[in-house]
Amino acid sequence: MLPETSKRMREKYRQLIGEGIISSKSRIVFVNDGSKDSTWDIIKKLHADAPEYFSGIDLAHNSGHQNAVLAGLMSVKDICDAAISMDADLQDDINAIDEMMLKFYEGNHVVYGVRSARKTDSFFKKFTAESFYKFMKLMGADVIYNHADFRLMSRRVLEELSNYKEVNLFLRGMVPLIGFKSCSVYYERSERFAGESKYPLRKMLSFAVNGITSFSTKPLKFITALGFIMSIMSVCAFIWAFVAKFCGFAELGWSSLLCSIWLIGGLQLFCLGIIGEYVGKIYAEVKHRPRFIVADFLNDLGAEFINDESADENK
């Protein structure tokens, strides 16, 4: 992907600089999220051949997509007026950057890249993605429909984002939570130029669960409501059994008893599972582990790399 991505991005930057939309000091920063192939070698070569365009960040290990995006944003927040994050698979339309910058100059601190359609997705992908956004809204999380991680953020927003210290990152929910004036730019998402998606169904489900449990307490409220309803049903069942006993037709049988046991047992396990998700979040948060660790960087960025500890003044 990188040779083609860098080629198209360089052409786009030349156009933007030529039109005076961005400064000639702007940079394309690639984040290598612990790749085991020659990705970092390619990034270093791109920087060596064209340092006026390309720079890079190499994470010490695979930190996950959201942490990798955050690593890039936090590394440049002190040396930019605005930063645009996007995946390197060329599915996001780089031509939308022009409109993003114009919206930024109009006073928007956040510009969301939103898909206008899902023509390139399979039925299953489209159904699950749309269900995810609708369910997140239902659960009370403020997410932008059909928006992933293609967005522009001003320096002010990046500074505020750095104050969010949670370990379980869900940037799609965190950025709208910050506030400031925002708008959306619509584009058509393309097919992957090469390679395969690293987000199988298992990771997608994990990402959805992370988003829900990180930004919504409605599942806990659902447990409370469910417990209340079950309590009322239990009282009604007790009254019915009591009346049946004294009316002489109390031959209830084993089937109804076993169904009741299985129903209550299943609900208990389901509720414990949801509670367990939140306990797991608390467990991760109290550790205060760094969200990312930078092993190497191309020093022309001129920025300090900040984890949870203060950066070395001589870095």
Side-chain angles (χ1 to χ4, degrees):
M1 290 302 307
L2 283 177
E4 182 64 23
T5 301
S6 60
K7 175 186 174 183
R8 296 191 192 182
M9 288 300 297
R10 183 188 298 193
E11 292 173 354
K12 171 55 63 176
Y13 260 47
R14 284 175 177 169
Q15 173 228 314
L16 293 171
I17 293 171
E19 295 176 0
I21 296 178
I22 65 174
S23 166
S24 59
K25 295 181 180 180
S26 300
R27 292 292 183 274
I28 301 163
V29 183
F30 290 109
V31 180
N32 179 39
D33 187 20
S35 299
K36 297 180 181 179
D37 51 20
S38 59
T39 297
W40 182 238
D41 293 331
I42 296 173
I43 294 174
K44 289 194 293 184
K45 187 177 186 306
L46 288 170
H47 170 69
D49 293 341
E52 71 276 16
Y53 288 109
F54 302 109
S55 195
I57 300 167
D58 184 32
L59 302 187
H61 60 88
N62 185 277
S63 301
H65 180 269
Q66 296 291 279
N67 284 321
V69 173
L70 186 70
L73 294 172
M74 293 299 100
S75 298
V76 303
K77 70 179 180 66
D78 295 326
I79 56 171
C80 70
D81 297 309
I84 297 175
S85 61
M86 62 186 299
D87 293 338
D89 56 12
L90 294 177
Q91 288 191 282
D92 295 324
D93 185 7
I94 63 174
N95 292 316
I97 294 176
D98 303 60
E99 190 175 354
M100 283 183 164
M101 290 305 304
L102 294 177
K103 295 293 184 182
F104 169 66
Y105 291 136
E106 291 174 2
N108 292 282
H109 285 271
V110 182
V111 183
Y112 300 102
V114 179
R115 298 180 62 172
S116 58
R118 287 185 171 270
K119 297 178 181 178
T120 59
D121 289 348
S122 64
F123 171 79
F124 178 76
K125 173 71 174 178
K126 181 179 180 180
F127 174 77
T128 53
E130 291 181 347
S131 298
F132 165 74
Y133 287 109
K134 292 177 181 178
F135 188 66
M136 288 295 292
K137 281 286 187 181
L138 181 64
M139 288 290 102
D142 185 16
V143 295
I144 307 300
Y145 188 71
N146 273 344
H147 163 70
D149 290 292
F150 184 27
R151 69 177 73 87
L152 177 149
M153 288 182 282
S154 69
R155 181 173 181 173
R156 178 72 185 279
V157 173
L158 292 175
E159 289 173 349
E160 295 301 329
L161 181 61
S162 67
N163 294 325
Y164 286 72
K165 303 299 182 182
E166 60 247 51
V167 175
N168 298 285
L169 293 177
F170 186 66
L171 294 175
R172 300 182 198 184
M174 291 170 64
V175 176
L177 197 63
I178 294 173
F180 294 104
K181 184 179 179 181
S182 65
C183 66
S184 298
V185 168
Y186 296 88
Y187 69 98
E188 289 192 16
R189 192 170 172 86
S190 306
E191 295 278 2
R192 291 179 65 91
F193 176 79
E196 296 179 356
S197 173
K198 300 300 189 293
Y199 253 71
L201 179 61
R202 176 181 57 82
K203 284 191 175 182
M204 290 173 61
L205 291 174
S206 176
F207 184 67
V209 171
N210 185 48
I212 293 168
T213 54
S214 295
F215 280 88
S216 176
T217 58
K218 282 195 175 182
L220 292 176
K221 296 177 181 178
F222 171 73
I223 293 175
T224 304
L226 186 62
F228 180 74
I229 293 172
M230 289 300 299
S231 298
I232 294 176
M233 290 178 63
S234 298
V235 172
C236 293
F238 176 78
I239 294 173
W240 176 80
F242 184 79
V243 172
K245 173 71 174 177
F246 281 90
C247 290
F249 52 89
E251 196 93 28
L252 297 178
W254 284 103
S255 59
S256 59
L257 178 63
L258 289 177
C259 287
S260 300
I261 293 174
W262 277 97
L263 175 62
I264 295 173
L267 288 172
Q268 288 176 332
L269 290 175
F270 175 72
C271 294
L272 286 174
I274 296 179
I275 295 172
E277 288 290 337
Y278 283 90
V279 172
K281 299 294 182 187
I282 297 171
Y283 174 74
E285 293 290 347
V286 298
K287 285 180 175 291
H288 292 295
R289 291 175 176 172
R291 288 165 290 183
F292 58 85
I293 301 172
V294 175
D296 192 12
F297 64 93
L298 305 177
N299 58 14
D300 72 305
L301 287 175
E304 293 180 342
F305 292 83
I306 303 174
N307 294 318
D308 287 341
E309 302 294 334
S310 298
D312 183 358
E313 292 182 359
N314 297 322
K315 181 174 276 186

